[in-house]
Amino acid sequence: MIDFFLDQHPIAQALIATCFTWGMTALGAALVFTTKTLNQKLLDGMLGFAGGVMIAASFWSLLSPALDMAEADGIPAWIPAAVGFLLGGFFLWGIDKILPHLHPTSPVGEAEGIHPNKKRRSTLLVLAITLHNIPEGLAVGVAFGAIAAGFPSASLAGAIALGIGIGIQNFPEGVAVSMPLRRDGMSRRKSFMYGQFSGMVEPISAVIGVMAVTLIEPLLPYALSFAAGAMIFVVAEEVIPGSQEEGNKDLASMTLMIGFTVMMILDVALG
């Protein structure tokens, strides 16, 4: 199986990795077939863990390689890291203001974006998680694209570790979409379909990431930093606040630290 993966084109590798992350989203969404509600502490703990994974991936898998690549190119390493990171955050902020969406823990009246109240709750929930999955798929694609571009600091093991880490944190995202829909009275089948659908954007954005960096190699440090900034925006704007809204701050904080540690170990040990 490993040999088969190694023999694939970087685009195929990124697709395989993001199909795994999509599958983890579907696995989380599938919990609606076993229960209609999920313990709030468990959900908050999973969200905290997901936040820790995303923070660690942003540095160990994205920013750190970006700094190494920029330094190897003979330019001040902080320039592409800072520019790309801020652009990633502002890009997600801009989309957040435009795309109608609803955070899983919020009532319909608090939906964000342009004319959000004209959309159904189910659509708004899926759009919210889909928005947050874009930088995750992009990050995986850029990581595999770096390997194709031949950068010494890029490694297949590191890209695989990033895919595994994002897949782990996608599990609670699937839960976060499907469970609220099930509680609102939607059928189990429809709740699952909406929940797993939110992960479909990751293979698409991964292909875009691979193609972008292989076609325009000098952009790679900026692209890695861009993905990192977008992921940190998601963590700060949604994941951490969502994990603490019900008062489980200590639990969410500790699981965030555990998630960070797990992703750090994955990236350092495999990368």
Side-chain angles (χ1 to χ4, degrees), residues 71-88:
E71 190 171 345
D73 288 339
I75 61 176
W78 61 268
I79 293 178
V83 172
F85 186 83
L86 291 175
L87 283 176

Side-chain angles (χ1 to χ4, degrees), residues 69 73 145-151 210-223:
M69 292 172 189
D73 288 339
I147 300 167
F151 282 86
V210 173
M211 295 179 65
V213 299
T214 52
L215 292 175
I216 315 174
E217 292 184 16
L219 288 180
L220 184 54
Y222 294 91

Side-chain angles (χ1 to χ4, degrees), residues 102-104 120-130 176-177 180-181:
L102 176 68
H103 300 307
R120 296 175 57 187
R121 175 179 171 84
S122 56
T123 303
L124 292 169
L125 282 172
V126 173
L127 287 175
I129 303 300
T130 300
V177 176
L181 296 178

Side-chain angles (χ1 to χ4, degrees), residues 136-161:
E136 296 167 11
L138 182 64
V140 174
V142 170
F144 282 100
I147 300 167
F151 282 86
S153 57
S155 71
L156 181 60
I160 293 173

Side-chain angles (χ1 to χ4, degrees), residues 91-114:
F91 175 76
L92 258 290
W93 175 80
I95 293 182
D96 193 67
K97 295 300 181 183
I98 297 172
L99 186 70
H101 64 282
L102 176 68
H103 300 307
T105 56
S106 303
V108 176
E110 296 181 8
E112 300 175 5
I114 298 176

Side-chain angles (χ1 to χ4, degrees), residues 31-253:
L31 287 184
V32 294
F33 292 111
T34 61
T35 180
K36 190 173 183 177
T37 59
L38 192 67
N39 182 276
Q40 189 62 45
K41 284 188 175 181
L42 178 60
L43 181 57
D44 289 345
M46 288 194 296
L47 286 173
F49 182 89
V53 168
M54 293 176 74
I55 293 172
S58 296
F59 177 75
W60 296 103
S61 298
L62 299 171
L63 276 178
S64 181
L67 290 168
D68 292 339
M69 292 172 189
E71 190 171 345
D73 288 339
I75 61 176
W78 61 268
I79 293 178
V83 172
F85 186 83
L86 291 175
L87 283 176
F90 280 116
F91 175 76
L92 258 290
W93 175 80
I95 293 182
D96 193 67
K97 295 300 181 183
I98 297 172
L99 186 70
H101 64 282
L102 176 68
H103 300 307
T105 56
S106 303
V108 176
E110 296 181 8
E112 300 175 5
I114 298 176
H115 307 303
N117 294 329
K118 295 181 180 180
K119 305 286 185 180
R120 296 175 57 187
R121 175 179 171 84
S122 56
T123 303
L124 292 169
L125 282 172
V126 173
L127 287 175
I129 303 300
T130 300
L131 169 64
H132 296 166
N133 282 344
I134 292 173
E136 296 167 11
L138 182 64
V140 174
V142 170
F144 282 100
I147 300 167
F151 282 86
S153 57
S155 71
L156 181 60
I160 293 173
L162 177 61
I164 293 173
I166 290 178
I168 292 172
Q169 67 89 32
N170 270 8
F171 182 85
E173 289 188 352
V175 177
V177 176
S178 61
M179 285 298 178
L181 296 178
R182 178 60 182 154
R183 286 197 299 268
D184 289 347
M186 185 175 287
S187 69
R188 286 187 171 89
R189 179 177 171 276
K190 283 189 176 181
S191 298
F192 167 75
M193 292 301 296
Y194 276 116
Q196 64 83 31
F197 181 79
S198 62
M200 188 183 297
V201 71
E202 291 194 3
I204 299 171
S205 53
V207 171
I208 294 173
V210 173
M211 295 179 65
V213 299
T214 52
L215 292 175
I216 315 174
E217 292 184 16
L219 288 180
L220 184 54
Y222 294 91
L224 286 167
S225 303
F226 181 94
M231 289 179 68
I232 291 296
F233 177 86
V234 169
V235 174
E237 197 265 346
E238 170 60 21
V239 178
I240 292 178
S243 69
Q244 299 184 357
E245 283 182 350
E246 300 300 322
N248 297 313
K249 295 183 178 181
D250 290 343
L251 173 65
S253 298

